[in-house]
Amino acid sequence: MSRITPKIRELSQYLIAYETKANKRLETNTPEAFHVGEKLRPHLTSLMGNVGFSALLSRALALANAEVPWLRAVRVRADGSLERLDEPAAQADPEQISEGSVVLLAQLLGLLVVFIGEKLTLRLLRDIWPKLSLDDFDFDKGEKHEKEN
Amino acid sequence: MKKKTDRQKAKLPEKSGNSPSKVTIHKIPTGVRGLDEILGGGIPEFSFNIIAGSPGCGKTTLAHQIAFANATAQKPALYFTVLGEPAMKMLRYQQQYSFFDESKLGRAVRFLNLSEVVLEKDLDAVLDEIVRQVRAANPSTVVVDSFRTVVRKAVANANELEMQSFIQRLAQFLTSWEATTFLVGEYDKEEMRDNPLFTVADGLFWLSQVAERNSIVRKLQVIKLRGQESVPGLHTIRISDAGLQAFSRTLGLLGTRAKPKRRRRLSMGIPELDKMMGGGLLEGDSLLVAGPSGTGKSALATQFIAAGLRHGEPAIMAIFEERPQGYTDRAETFGLNLKTPQENGALEILYLRPLDLSVDETMQAILDAVERIGAKRLVIDSLVGFEMALAPGFRTDFRESLYRMIGALTRAGVTILSTVEVEDTFTAFSLSHYTISFLTDDIIRMRYVEIDGQLRKVMVVVKMRGGNHSKDIREYVITDEGVVIIHPRTTQYHGLTTGIPERTGSSPPQKAEASPEPKAK
């Protein structure tokens, strides 16, 4: 059973949407999760080193593979960056690519939540995306949509 | 007339009575309760320090506590991690402590991983990276954890000169940048002699775990601290939810509040006993109640507390043998209500029973409770139970510790009643096998005596430092009113203190006791 809660999935979608918008002029073939991963990488490697970040991302990828088959054609490099291999498995329609990105990032965020808790995870994300409002994802403050009601 | 020399022409500074003021070394707080007092006020600002010790002593927790206590967004703490505890795990575990302020993470407290530089490059590259980060962040505090790992390669290559140069440059740079530095590492004390790191360091804090039989006690020693006087010796530390807490070896010896000249007499809650004590116990005294099991020491202690509560004097009962409920229930059988005062904050019953306590921790717990409720009376029931609750290592210096504790509490204006169980040998009249009677101002001895075919109970006020007292040996019983002194002194026996007195007067007609004394719960 996936550990991704609706809230983490929503957070993943939110970050991907933000980064996709910011990177719309860049190459379109790159899965969105790669952009978010690149944004996360310097911050998390500075905290846990390349080895630590690569290990965490590899675990997230392994978990995501079970849900989205095309992610089997993705590997984590030693420096913690993501690489999409030129394999038949990597072929997928845009919707699947997009779903893979969401799941992969959500698994990574889920692992962070498991290890360091929700508060610290959000704290890290706020440092990486200072302009982004993440208050709605404050796990202690209840569901986003509840707040809006 | 002689020409003035150049030196005479130039106005030399006149010698003034005021010598130039020496530099003020500011001290930064450690954030560890009790540690600043041990260090002589805190850690000297801009100093270069080592936190050393074996695994599991609390080195990283101490470093974190210092970092969180001093870091601000303007003057952050840089925490370099190197191949030791992975950062994720560190964050996972350290956030459990109450000092861990997640709002400081990232801005005020910044964790930076140096592992790759250390693994792949040389010490120059490590220094360059630290310099780069320090220049960018302008930190108040820098921690390198573990520093031993940083220099491991140089040590393995036997490149002592490289290591020495690295340490020198690192120390000079960080001090110049006005950072207070802490290098955390697992070291043995034997390494101190040959390792240049220990020569360069301004402060050296050694953490250890001392095993004594089945108990483990953490200790801290300030081996070196330049520029200020710290408290020497091994100090107990404990790691709780709040992080590290340190207990100075001299806790309780400070403070000079003298006992007031005119002191009130406090009622013991037993009118006849008050009379025997010349009107009651002198405020601020330490009273020892000694007697064998079942003689009513705890009952007497309860009456003492209840009398204080009736006069609006908040109280603490530190108990080591019985559970608080047992105390409250027994008090109820004597018609004394201890529940309401506990509910309204006038009474705290501290049940202290772990088997690895230190006297200092106990003292701190009691002092905290005294301060919390403004206690005027304290019962320690009993000293035997107290000793049993201590880690074996602390039992050897129980007397000295007790001396500090009683001194600290009476200086705080608290009147103390301690109970101690002594064995009735029926040949001697021992006061306490601890030989601690010199620590107390007053002593009451309770004991069994065999009289007219019955095992009865007598008490005597043995000593009252602050005034005269009755010399009478008085018989008492424990009824539903608690300890009640019944008869005036008897002159028909001698040898009462041996427990087997000899009748010297005529034998009164013997009447069988109708019913036993009501038994306390």
Side-chain angles (χ1 to χ4, degrees), chain B residues 27-30 35-37 39-44 225 228:
Chain B
K27 292 159 189 170
I28 66 162
T30 56
L35 183 53
D36 291 352
E37 289 77 14
L39 297 174
I43 289 170
L225 190 58
Q228 66 194 51

Side-chain angles (χ1 to χ4, degrees), chain B residues 51-64 79 145 184-187 205 207 239 244:
Chain B
I51 299 172
S54 52
C57 291
K59 301 184 295 296
T60 295
T61 306
L62 173 58
H64 274 194
Y79 201 109
D145 183 5
V184 181
E186 287 169 12
Y187 292 98
F205 313 116
L207 305 182
I239 302 178
L244 250 75

Side-chain angles (χ1 to χ4, degrees), chain B residues 280-337:
Chain B
L281 181 61
L282 276 166
E283 190 178 19
D285 264 11
S286 165
L287 164 68
L288 181 72
V289 178
S293 173
T295 44
K297 300 182 295 298
S298 298
L300 191 146
T302 309
Q303 285 168 275
F304 167 72
I305 290 295
L309 292 169
R310 280 196 296 275
H311 289 95
E313 294 166 2
I316 305 289
M317 299 183 89
I319 61 173
F320 297 89
E321 291 173 10
E322 234 174 318
R323 290 194 175 271
Q325 189 62 43
Y327 250 85
T328 313
D329 289 350
R330 188 188 34 241
E332 228 169 56
T333 66
F334 301 148
L336 305 172
N337 176 7

